[in-house]
Each structure stands twice: as C-alpha cells, then as structure tokens.
Amino acid sequence: MDNAAQSRALLIREPACGCAGTALLARMKTDIDSAERHSYSYRFGSAEFDEARFELRVAGLPVDVERRALEVLAYLLRHAGEVVTKEELLREVWAGRITVDKVLPNAINKLRRALGEANAERVQTQARIGYRLDGTIERVAVGRRLASRLELAAGQSVPARDNFLLRRQLGSSRDNEVWLAEHAKTREKRVYKFGVDGERLRSLKREATLSRVLQESLDDRRHFVDIIDWNFESSPFFLECQYGGESLLEWAEQHLAALGIDERLVVFLQIADAVAAAHSVGVLHKDLKPANVLIAATESGWLIRLTDFGSGRLLDPERLEALGITQLGLTVTQSIATDSSTGTPLYVAPEVFAGHAPTVQSDVFALGILLYQLLAGRLNKPMASGWEQDIADELLREDVRLATDGNPERRLATAAELALRLRDRERRRLQIDAARRDEEQARSARETLARSRARRPYLVALITALAVSIAVVLVLYRTAVNARNTAQQELDRAAAINRFLNEDLIGRSNPLVVAKGQSASIRDVLLAARDRVAQRFSAQPLTEATIRTSLTTLFNMIELLPEAEGEARRALALYESHAGAASRDALKARSLLARLLTRTGKIEEAHKELQRLDELTAAMDDPYTKYLRAHAWGIYYMNRGEYAKGVPEYRIAIPILREAEPDNVTLRDSMRMDLIGGLTQVGDLAGARAEGADLIREIGTRGDDNGLVVAFAKAMVARTYTLEGDLATAESQLVEAQQTIVNVLGAAHTRNIMVLSDLFDIAVRRADWPRALAYAQQVHEGALAKFGPEHNITAATAINWGQALFESGDTKTAEDKLRPFRELLAAKLGPENPQSQVATYWLCAFALEQRKADEAARLVALLDPAALEGAGADGFWKLRVDMLRGLLAAQRGDEAVAAELLASAVDGLAKADGGRSRLYANAQRALGRSPTP
C-alpha cells in the first residue's frame, strides 16, 4: 500500500479461516503499527467513532457514553477481527488502576447499549477468553493521536532510568508530556513529567521547589504526590513522581454516579483539606481542576492526592531560605508577582482573568467549581446560569455560591473555612429548621389575624398583641427549654464533680482511706483520684475531659511530668471525640499538650502538635485562639533557646490571657516570669527588671500570696544584676529567694535548680572555680534526676559542668562529659541552635587546649556568633569566636593571622572575660602577654 492510499478508505472484511484471512490481518496490523501515531475515524454499520475527538456517533447523532467504554471500543477497533483477551483490555484500558469486579463486562454492556441493537452484534464475546469486533470496518486517517515530540513510545525505557518502562502517555501539550511507567521487575508504577524546552524546565523546577516546601513544612503529606527525583541537567528534562492513582476525571466516570452526597463530600473535603494545608505553608496551587486531583482506593476508603504544582506560587519566598531550599524555577518575581497567565479557564477566578494576582481566594474559587461539579455529578461541567437546579440541598447551594462569588471580598476567605462549613452542615440545618418553625408559627398567627379582621374589627388590636405574644413566647419557650437542658447538664456535671472532690480527693486524703497513715501526700491523693476518673465520669465524657485537664495542671505543678502528659493526651482525645478537634476546649487541650511536651523535652512531638494547632486555627482570628497559639509557640521557642522568637509570642499571649481569664493569675504569673527570663536572655535588662517590679507589685495588691511567687520573680530579676556586674545584689536576691523555694517546694524542685544555675554564673564571673564546679555538678545531677538524660535542659546543664571542669584544669573529663550532650543537642535542636552552638564553642576550646588542631578547625567552622548571642546576648560572642580562631591560627603557625585576631579579641574581652577565663589567659600567652591575675 502506498502513502497516498493511507489517506483513503481501508476496507477490513471479516477474516475467513485460512491463509488469506491471516495475511489480511497481518497487513492490517502492519499498516496500523506503521502509522500508530495517527488518529482515525472508524465507520461500521451506522456507527462512527472519531479517535481524535474521542466521539461516538450513531446514525449521525452523537452518543453520550463514558470514556472507559470508548477506550475499549478504540482498542477493539485497532485490533479488529482479532480476539482480544480480558487481561489485555484490563492492562491497556485500566493500566495501573485498582478495578472492581465485572468492570470490563459493565463497560462492554454500556458500549453495546450506546452502539444500538444492530451495531452491538458486532461486539462478540469469546467465552472465557475475551472479545472481538467483527464485520466490515472503514478507517480514514483524520489526524494524530497523542504524539511524542521527544520520540517516546510505550515499551521504551525511561531516559536515564533503564529499569522503568514507559507504559502509556497520560497527557501532553505543546511543551510537556506525562507518561505512566512501570518497573520492569517489581511492577512499581511511577509517573514521569517530561519537558521539551526551557519554559517547561522552569515549570518543572518550580514544581520541584514547591513540592519540597510542602515536604519540609507539613507532617501529614498523604494528600500530596511526592516527587522522588528529577533530571534538570540534560534533555529530556523530567520529574520522577510517586504514582498517586487515576485522575479524578477518570475516576468519576466509573464511580461518581454510585456515590451519595455525603460520600462525595468525604472526597471533596480531602481536596479542601489538602489545599488548606498547602495554603498554611504559603503555597498556592493556581491550577486546581479534576485532572490535577488523583484518587486511589485504600483499605480505609478513597485517598485524594493533589498533583501538578507547576503553575504554583509561593506567597512568602523567604520561607525557602528558612527551610534551606534552593529557589529552583522560582525567581522573586515569579514567587510574588501578580502573574495571572496560568490556570484552566473553567476554574480561574474572575479577578485573575482581570489581571490581578492569584491569591488564596482564587484557589477557593476553583474549589467551589469542583464542589459544584462533584455535587452535580458531572466533572468539567461549566457552572452556568441556573446551576442551582443541580443541587437540591440549600446549604450546599449556599456554600457553592459563597465559594464562587465573583467578588473576592464576598467570597469565602480560605479553603479551611469552606471545609469547616461543610463539616458543620447538620448543625446549620438544625438552626435553620428551628428558625423556620418559629417563623411558620408566627405566620400562622398573622394569617389568623387577617381572616378575623373583616369579621371582628374590635378584636384586631387584641389579636395583634396575641400574635406578637405568641412569637415572643415561642422564642422564650425555646430559650427556656435550652436553658433548662443546659442547666440540668451543668447541675449533673456539678454534682459529679462535687462527688469527685468529696469522695475521690478530699475523702481519699484521709490517712485511713489511703492506708498510708499520716504519710499520705498530695501525690498519693492525686494518683488515687486519677485512677477513679474514668469510672466516675463514664457517662459524662466532656466532664471527664475537664477533670483530666485539671489533673494535668496539678501533676505539672508537682512535677509528675509523665503523669501530666498522660492526662493531657486523654483529655485531648475526649474533647476531639465529643466536641470536635476545632472546638475551643480541644484547642486549649492541644495547646496545653504542646507546652507540656516542650517542657519534657519531646521537641519533635511538640512541634507536630503546634503545626496541627496552626492548621486547625488557620481560619480563626479571635483573640483567644491567638493566645493559644502564641503561648504554645512561645514556650517552644524558649525551651529551644530561641529567646528572640519566644519574647514576641509572650508579648501577644499575656495581654489576651489577662482580658480573657482575669482570675487565672497562676498561669499569668508563670508566663510573666518566663517573659522576664526571655527579656534577660536577649539583653533587654531594663525591660526584664521593669516587668519583674510590676509583677511583684501586682502580687502585693492581691494580699493572698505565700511569698513563693515573689521569690520566683526576685530570682528571675536577680539575673539582670548578674549581667550588669552587680554580683552582690544578684547573690543576695538569689539566696533570699532560695530559702523560700526550698522551704515550700524542696531542694529538688526545678525552681531551686534554676537558682543554683544562676549562683553558678555568679561564681564563674568571680572566677571562683571550686564553688562554680560544685554548683555545676549539683545543677546537672538535679536536672538529670528530674528530666532524664535525653532532655535538652539536662544537656544544657552539662555545658556548665564542662566549662567548670575545664576552668578547673580537668580538660579531658570536661570533654568526656560534654561531647555526648553536644551531639544530643545538635540532633534534637539542630547544630545552629544557640544551645548547640555554646556546646560546640566549649568543645572547640577543649580541643585547642589538647592541641587537636584539626578537630578544633572543624568545630570552629560550625560557630555562628549571631546564633551564640541567642543563648545569652552580651555582645561579645564574635570576639570569643575570633579568640578561638586566633588560638587555632597560632597552633598552625600562622602568626600574622593569630596576632590580628587575638589582639582585637583580648582587648575587646578585657572587661567581659579578663582575669576569670582560662581561654582568655591562653590568648594572652599566645600574644606574649602576662595573663591577667
């Protein structure tokens, strides 16, 4: 057959048995294979199938049939006259997708119905084998199928990935191709996105960058397609992606019609939650549509994943620097400019069409369109006039309308807000129903009035008053019923709590009850009471949660930290189950748990809870929610030694707490003392002292203090005098405060350990190394017993002990004590953390003392003076680091560099470290000077 003949009709008749039929089939297959990139129009009987348009017509009229049935038809047409096995059809049409039973027979039945009775006879079933399309078929070349500008083809190896074979092309445009590939041995599936020019390369890089932002910023990444690898060095450029399932568009053809409204909302809420999570870390998608939503079946149901952030945008480009991510494909302009050139028109918000910058609300608009299409049952359906008729539920109509409002000022503000409205649908419905019942009864009264007005004019005024009274009484009755129910609930709750206090707390503090005689302690009573909470409040889960929250606070106060953590977790679980994760009580419980985890040194767990708190409150802007976030993050930063970040959070939290809970003075006092410590650490000594004085004055006005809180405050303020060099005043205040603390709380309490740590600092500044060593050992052993070896506070106290040992001349023991704790701090908090930096500084000093120049060089390269200032801002850390570098240069024989660095360091540190530092004396000796006595 010549080339011209390929543009004319090719007649394929039903093959007879024997060589002629076989030869005809072989020739047909050769023709098809040689032109496999062309699209054809097939005619058989009264049916016509256009491969390019993917359209079926019968008797000249278009037939609406699902895409999967058409894909079966296309494959049968390409192999007309052949028996195609069931396995082959499943592999080619449903490649890489989980299918339900009878999915192929169902598709065949739909195809036969679409073809009509006469044409359907051509689709023959071969028992236990497969199917065959028989009869005369006319084929005309009309265009090209998905063509590969990169000359990629099914069956080829992925470029530079020899173990993966291309299976089929999922899509293409003028500048990119997307392919499904499969590992030759393991059958693992992956998706490859290829770029054919520089513009697409930039898009691929942008997608890789935004994917890394999501991976680094979010703990729960189930709803995002992971990028496994990429090739940006040589053509063809590509991203290698996790296989996330079929597109929502393909899935909908087979499954959407069978789902009810609630099941469709479950699917949509996963999409909305994923978009909200991306927004929470500053990532816009900008091209939300069914093709960019993947869905796969799991044991727990359908799992949604978002993909294709190639058009995305980063709202805060500085986040990349904070996460240590290179700006691949994201210039500053691309990150923040008002780009409006991308997106699929059906889903693009009006303001973006008008040239405004895409925002969170433009993604919300696309979500609203998706929500409408899922509810209407047809994806890709335009949202045209009269769309409301497709959605029966008035609340869902309202949600769609608010999400797709053409004016962004009236549109829902966030994806999280849309999700919250959908989850809150039943409560909203109950409110509306109640309001309608009230209105209906009032309307009935008005109608009665109208009917009577003509007959009994003299009763008009009376009936008018009666109608109004009925409406008022109905409202008051409903209010009274609600109040009665609430009052009864509160009464039952109060009674249960009263029994708990009398029987489980007060009653069990009786020595005869606890069987411990007069030795029964608060600890014993609380532990015994805790064990009875579940039984006591089994029918009142929210009351149980309240009691467990109180126990959390009490256990924390007497430093039973594991018990406090356990109660906090139980309280949170109860609130989440019975009030919802976004309820105020659940948010308070999560904030408390995060603060407790931080205190117990479980930094990573605390960070996860804080991120979850931020996700749940992303759409909330009320003051108390701000307080919950600020307090929890403030404690987190303080315990990490990042005081400059912690202080602003406390500045937000304390005034809100004062306004919201004016009687919660215990918590407010504790926060103010934390703030004093933070201000001291960042060098704002005047601010710390003023805050301390104001706190002590406020405590004095209450008239109910036992002296303990004042002792805490004086101990915190004493450090400001230490840093100013007034050591006598500082020591006097600390000793006075210590007497009260030890008398009331005992020598093992954390507050006493803090006082001993400050007394250690005074001894260091006096170069009283025997006393400093004694204090350092007491502090470290106390922290070790209180918090355990894995806590960052224990590690920080090891730094002080190591310093004291070094200054006392025992460098080897100092190194042995400090090294494991320095590694612990670097692993938990990062090597750039201020506490990690101080530990690295002293290990470097130990290495120099032992003339380990190579190790000292490695350690000094890790030091950052700015980070060291975060551990204790006195303005001298750059000079101290220069002193280490100078001593290193001296050991390596670089006298000029050593002299320059050491001279400026020694002169600059004369008042700060002179006369009390072994390291400073070594620097003086290296310069040929006599050490300061």
Side-chain angles (χ1 to χ4, degrees):
M1 180 179 292
D2 58 24
N3 292 332
Q6 291 188 13
S7 64
R8 297 193 297 269
L10 172 65
L11 298 180
I12 306 172
R13 299 191 181 278
E14 181 175 352
C17 295
C19 297
T22 304
L24 182 59
L25 263 178
R27 189 175 73 236
M28 180 202 76
K29 289 188 68 180
T30 302
D31 291 338
I32 292 174
D33 291 342
S34 65
E36 65 176 351
R37 292 191 175 87
H38 287 84
S39 291
Y40 294 92
S41 176
Y42 297 89
R43 296 188 185 93
F44 52 100
S46 62
E48 179 181 355
F49 176 65
D50 189 326
E51 197 175 32
R53 297 180 180 178
F54 226 70
E55 178 184 70
L56 175 65
R57 289 175 174 266
V58 176
L61 299 175
V63 178
D64 189 13
V65 60
E66 70 173 37
R67 182 180 180 86
R68 198 76 71 213
L70 290 181
E71 290 180 1
V72 170
L73 174 61
Y75 196 81
L76 291 173
L77 284 166
R78 290 197 292 272
H79 298 82
E82 298 179 65
V83 175
V84 179
T85 67
K86 296 176 182 179
E87 291 75 15
E88 187 176 359
L89 281 170
L90 289 171
R91 183 178 67 249
E92 295 299 324
V93 178
W94 284 273
R97 301 177 182 88
I98 299 172
T99 58
V100 297
D101 292 340
K102 298 183 179 181
V103 65
L104 179 55
N106 289 340
I108 291 291
N109 289 335
K110 291 177 182 178
L111 175 59
R112 284 171 173 157
R113 286 197 299 270
L115 289 171
E117 186 175 350
N119 299 317
E121 294 177 354
R122 295 170 179 264
V123 182
Q124 297 291 315
T125 301
Q126 300 295 309
R128 295 184 299 277
I129 300 175
Y131 302 91
R132 181 180 66 192
L133 187 64
D134 286 340
T136 301
I137 299 170
E138 184 180 14
R139 187 186 75 182
V140 178
V142 293
R144 294 172 63 87
R145 299 203 314 265
L146 286 177
S148 174
R149 294 175 62 187
L150 299 175
E151 300 301 321
L152 301 172
Q156 290 182 358
S157 296
V158 175
R161 299 289 188 275
D162 294 340
N163 290 330
F164 280 88
L165 302 179
L166 296 172
R167 296 282 283 117
R168 66 188 180 95
Q169 190 178 121
L170 300 176
S172 69
S173 66
R174 63 180 180 82
D175 58 357
N176 75 86
E177 296 177 21
V178 182
W179 284 79
L180 176 66
E182 188 177 75
H183 194 280
K185 293 182 179 179
T186 66
R187 303 300 180 189
E188 177 188 358
K189 291 177 173 58
R190 290 186 184 173
V191 173
Y192 289 85
K193 298 182 180 182
F194 294 97
V196 298
D197 57 24
E199 178 59 31
R200 182 55 183 166
L201 174 59
R202 284 190 289 275
S203 178
L204 294 176
K205 287 183 175 181
R206 186 183 306 118
E207 183 168 2
T209 299
L210 295 179
S211 177
R212 284 203 60 199
V213 171
L214 295 171
Q215 289 177 345
E216 295 291 333
S217 304
L218 297 174
D219 290 324
D220 184 0
R221 299 186 296 275
R222 291 173 301 159
H223 297 305
F224 300 93
V225 171
D226 284 339
I227 293 179
I228 299 169
D229 201 357
W230 56 70
N231 168 37
F232 297 154
E233 302 301 322
S234 58
S235 183
F237 312 112
F238 62 77
L239 294 177
E240 183 178 2
C241 306
Q242 169 194 25
Y243 176 71
E246 61 186 329
S247 75
L248 194 66
L249 199 61
E250 295 172 314
W251 170 86
E253 292 176 355
Q254 183 175 334
H255 299 284
L256 184 58
L259 299 184
I261 294 300
D262 289 340
E263 294 170 302
R264 297 181 191 191
L265 288 176
V266 168
V267 171
F268 177 79
L269 282 169
Q270 290 188 61
I271 303 172
D273 288 344
V275 173
H279 288 172
S280 73
V281 295
V283 175
L284 295 184
H285 191 286
K286 289 178 52 188
D287 194 16
L288 291 169
K289 58 184 179 182
N292 289 336
V293 178
L294 304 182
I295 184 168
T298 68
E299 292 182 358
S300 58
W302 297 108
L303 176 64
I304 286 291
R305 291 185 179 93
L306 288 188
T307 187
D308 198 356
F309 283 80
S311 301
R313 173 184 171 198
L314 191 63
L315 293 173
D316 180 12
E318 294 181 0
R319 189 174 185 87
L320 295 178
E321 183 177 353
L323 294 172
I325 298 175
T326 305
Q327 287 196 89
L328 295 174
L330 278 172
T331 64
V332 172
T333 303
Q334 288 170 323
S335 299
I336 63 175
T338 58
D339 55 316
S340 58
S341 60
T342 57
T344 302
L346 182 59
Y347 303 90
V348 173
E351 67 271 14
V352 177
F353 268 126
H356 295 287
T359 64
V360 166
Q361 286 181 287
S362 52
D363 272 358
V364 172
F365 180 89
L367 279 175
I369 300 294
L370 265 174
L371 175 60
Y372 160 69
Q373 293 172 335
L374 279 168
L375 295 173
R378 288 183 58 190
L379 299 187
N380 277 351
K381 181 178 183 179
M383 191 174 172
S385 177
W387 65 267
E388 297 89 348
Q389 298 176 13
D390 295 325
I391 302 175
D393 189 315
E394 62 176 333
L395 291 177
L396 293 177
R397 287 199 301 271
E398 180 186 23
D399 294 333
V400 170
R401 179 182 59 78
L402 291 173
T404 58
D405 197 303
N407 185 344
E409 293 182 1
R410 295 193 300 265
R411 192 179 307 151
L412 293 179
T414 66
E417 184 180 358
L418 174 58
L420 184 61
R421 287 179 64 86
L422 293 173
R423 289 189 169 100
D424 206 25
R425 188 163 53 109
E426 288 311 310
R427 186 189 62 80
R428 292 160 56 203
R429 193 184 312 283
L430 291 174
Q431 288 180 333
I432 290 174
D433 289 346
R436 282 178 176 167
R437 285 194 299 271
D438 292 345
E439 175 58 29
E440 176 61 26
Q441 293 180 4
R443 184 189 64 78
S444 178
R446 289 195 300 270
E447 289 177 354
T448 301
L449 170 64
R451 287 193 300 268
S452 302
R453 184 169 290 165
R455 298 193 305 269
R456 300 174 182 271
Y458 60 88
L459 291 178
V460 168
L462 177 60
I463 294 176
T464 301
L466 179 61
V468 172
S469 299
I470 289 173
V472 171
V473 168
L474 286 170
V475 172
L476 292 175
Y477 174 74
R478 185 175 302 281
T479 302
V481 169
N482 291 337
R484 182 198 66 193
N485 293 338
T486 301
Q488 185 61 49
Q489 291 172 358
E490 291 301 320
L491 182 61
D492 292 343
R493 187 176 183 179
I497 292 174
N498 186 57
R499 288 195 303 271
F500 175 76
L501 291 172
N502 282 287
E503 297 173 20
D504 295 329
L505 280 178
I506 299 173
R508 296 208 160 240
S509 65
N510 186 329
L512 299 177
V513 174
V514 297
K516 289 200 173 187
Q518 296 181 352
S519 65
S521 64
I522 293 177
R523 177 183 184 279
D524 299 325
V525 172
L526 290 177
L527 289 175
R530 177 200 61 182
D531 295 338
R532 296 173 58 83
V533 170
Q535 177 183 355
R536 173 73 73 183
F537 300 103
S538 59
Q540 298 169 287
L542 292 178
T543 303
E544 180 183 347
T546 302
I547 293 296
R548 293 198 182 278
T549 301
S550 297
L551 286 174
T552 300
T553 303
L554 292 170
F555 282 135
N556 185 37
M557 289 176 64
I558 63 174
E559 300 194 313
L560 291 178
L561 301 183
E563 288 79 4
E565 180 186 337
E567 293 305 296
R569 291 189 184 279
R570 293 184 188 98
L572 176 58
L574 287 166
Y575 281 131
E576 285 187 317
S577 298
H578 298 278
S583 67
R584 179 159 172 167
D585 284 333
L587 296 175
K588 288 175 65 176
R590 192 176 300 279
S591 176
L592 177 59
L593 176 60
R595 301 196 307 264
L596 193 61
L597 289 170
T598 300
R599 187 182 178 196
T600 56
K602 297 178 179 179
I603 299 298
E604 291 184 6
E605 291 184 57
H607 191 257
K608 289 179 182 178
E609 294 297 338
L610 287 168
Q611 287 185 316
R612 179 64 176 148
L613 181 65
D614 283 352
E615 290 171 10
L616 291 168
T617 59
M620 303 179 190
D621 197 38
D622 60 287
Y624 197 79
T625 302
K626 291 181 180 179
Y627 154 73
L628 292 176
R629 288 196 297 258
H631 188 189
W633 278 107
I635 286 183
Y636 175 80
Y637 288 132
M638 292 288 198
N639 276 268
R640 282 176 57 90
E642 297 174 342
Y643 301 103
K645 292 182 179 179
V647 166
E649 300 290 350
Y650 275 83
R651 292 289 198 197
I652 295 171
I654 292 172
I656 298 176
L657 180 66
R658 184 187 295 275
E659 182 71 22
E661 299 180 13
D663 295 330
N664 196 349
V665 293
T666 301
L667 179 58
R668 189 169 72 243
D669 290 348
S670 176
M671 292 176 65
R672 293 186 70 181
M673 283 183 280
D674 287 346
L675 178 59
I676 294 168
L679 290 168
T680 303
Q681 291 298 122
V682 299
D684 186 1
L685 305 185
R689 202 171 292 166
E691 185 73 24
D694 187 63
L695 174 59
I696 293 170
R697 179 196 58 76
E698 181 181 315
I699 294 169
T701 63
R702 297 177 198 154
D704 59 351
D705 178 59
N706 60 4
L708 190 61
V709 181
V710 170
F712 291 165
K714 286 184 176 180
M716 298 300 296
V717 171
R719 181 157 178 75
T720 65
Y721 293 105
T722 300
L723 294 176
E724 284 187 342
D726 188 351
L727 303 184
T729 299
E731 186 176 35
S732 174
Q733 281 200 190
L734 286 170
V735 170
E736 179 184 348
Q738 187 181 34
Q739 290 176 350
T740 302
I741 292 170
V742 171
N743 286 338
V744 177
L745 300 176
H749 196 275
T750 303
R751 289 288 178 178
N752 187 49
I753 295 175
M754 294 170 64
V755 170
L756 290 171
S757 181
D758 285 334
L759 289 171
F760 160 81
D761 194 21
I762 292 173
V764 168
R765 293 171 184 273
R766 289 172 170 164
D768 186 349
W769 296 115
R771 181 170 292 183
L773 186 59
Y775 281 139
Q777 185 170 349
Q778 278 184 273
V779 170
H780 180 71
E781 290 176 349
L784 186 63
K786 181 70 64 177
F787 303 111
E790 298 297 317
H791 201 292
N792 50 304
I793 289 179
T794 305
T797 62
I799 299 173
N800 294 340
W801 196 7
Q803 179 189 1
L805 286 165
F806 168 72
E807 296 290 359
S808 300
D810 193 351
T811 304
K812 184 64 173 65
T813 303
E815 181 182 11
D816 292 342
K817 292 289 184 186
L818 180 56
R819 185 176 299 280
F821 287 104
R822 185 264 170 191
E823 293 173 357
L824 173 67
L825 287 169
K828 289 185 65 174
L829 307 181
E832 73 288 346
N833 178 268
Q835 293 178 7
S836 302
Q837 287 276 302
V838 175
T840 303
Y841 174 88
W842 283 110
L843 275 183
C844 182
F846 302 164
L848 288 170
E849 182 73 10
Q850 299 173 85
R851 306 196 67 81
K852 298 176 181 178
D854 291 343
E855 182 179 358
R858 179 182 64 82
L859 292 168
V860 79
L862 299 175
L863 294 176
D864 177 7
L868 284 161
E869 287 290 340
D874 63 1
F876 293 112
W877 279 107
K878 183 181 183 305
L879 291 174
R880 293 189 180 104
V881 174
D882 283 346
M883 185 164 62
L884 293 180
R885 290 175 177 147
L887 289 169
L888 177 61
Q891 287 190 13
R892 288 183 162 176
D894 193 343
E895 296 180 0
V897 172
E900 181 180 357
L901 289 171
L902 291 174
S904 61
V906 166
D907 292 341
L909 291 169
K911 292 184 178 179
D913 296 353
R916 61 181 176 86
S917 166
R918 184 187 185 93
L919 203 58
Y920 184 85
N922 290 343
Q924 288 179 304
R925 294 189 186 94
L927 285 172
R929 304 180 186 177
S930 298
T932 304

